[in-house]
Amino acid sequence: MNFLKKYRLPLGLLALFEAVAVILWLSLDNPFYLFNFSYIGGFLCLGCVLMIRQHKHNRAVIQWGVGLYMLLFLGLFCGENMQIEGFWVYLFSGIFSGAAIHYLVAKIGGPLLFGRGWCGYACWTAMVLDLLPFKRPQEPRRKRLEWMRFLLFALSLAFGVLVFRMTPEEREGVLMTAFLLGNLFY
């Protein structure tokens, strides 16, 4: 009983991801969702267990496991633009894609359930930024640049509208280029 109480969060998180995996797999008849959500949920569960056990590399395990999977496998191998630009294009196209799932789970659901720390643990951008030698921004400079997030959001929406108007063949090349350049820019 003490085990279940102590590991309630990681086991609940794993159960949630497995439920989503099975529902999407069966409803969309695509076994990829079973693998995808089981993999991500498994790493999140492992990371939470390591966090409870106060393992010093718990965050790195989650970031590298989930981050590299999303960046390399989903992004480069599967050719899916998981950035916000890809989200807009797929949304306008009416395609239920990895980018839509990514934003639904990682940008909306995860933070609502687990707070701001969610993306810091399960995001490839955070993984890459943690490798940089500087960790904390200078506060006055950060305040001066606060408006940029709204500009970038508007630009990504405009980019999504422009790319949506392209042919599907043109769209795929532009989205992959935007994915690579966007990650290099970070």
Side-chain angles (χ1 to χ4, degrees), residues 2-3 8-9 11 13 19 34 42 55 61 73 82 85 96 101 103 122 128 152 171 177:
N2 195 23
F3 173 83
R8 176 178 59 218
L9 174 66
L11 292 174
L13 192 59
L34 187 62
H55 190 277
V61 167
F73 181 73
M82 305 284 277
E85 298 83 12
F96 185 68
I101 295 170
Y103 273 82
V128 171
L152 290 174
R171 213 180 285 160
T177 303

Side-chain angles (χ1 to χ4, degrees), residues 57-73:
H57 298 295
N58 65 63
R59 183 170 181 235
V61 167
I62 300 172
Q63 283 182 317
W64 285 90
V66 176
L68 286 178
Y69 167 73
M70 293 184 74
L71 180 63
L72 299 178
F73 181 73

Side-chain angles (χ1 to χ4, degrees), residues 47-156:
C48 287
V49 167
L50 292 174
M51 186 184 313
I52 291 168
R53 300 187 74 178
Q54 298 179 342
H55 190 277
K56 68 179 183 175
H57 298 295
N58 65 63
R59 183 170 181 235
V61 167
I62 300 172
Q63 283 182 317
W64 285 90
V66 176
L68 286 178
Y69 167 73
M70 293 184 74
L71 180 63
L72 299 178
F73 181 73
L74 295 178
L76 297 178
F77 183 71
C78 293
E80 183 115 19
N81 185 331
M82 305 284 277
Q83 306 287 77
I84 193 166
E85 298 83 12
F87 168 74
W88 288 123
V89 172
Y90 297 131
L91 183 69
F92 295 147
S93 302
I95 299 171
F96 185 68
S97 67
I101 295 170
H102 173 75
Y103 273 82
L104 179 65
V105 172
K107 307 298 186 202
I108 299 168
L112 282 175
L113 293 173
F114 303 105
R116 290 182 59 190
W118 176 266
C119 199
Y121 274 82
C123 180
W124 74 77
T125 305
M127 174 191 71
V128 171
L129 293 175
D130 278 356
L131 295 173
L132 297 175
F134 35 88
K135 302 292 182 201
R136 303 228 183 252
Q138 301 297 326
E139 288 304 317
R141 182 176 177 196
R142 186 175 188 174
K143 285 288 185 192
R144 285 193 319 242
L145 300 175
E146 199 171 79
W147 59 272
M148 283 187 70
R149 63 181 165 179
F150 300 107
L151 175 65
L152 290 174
F153 184 82
L155 289 173
S156 69

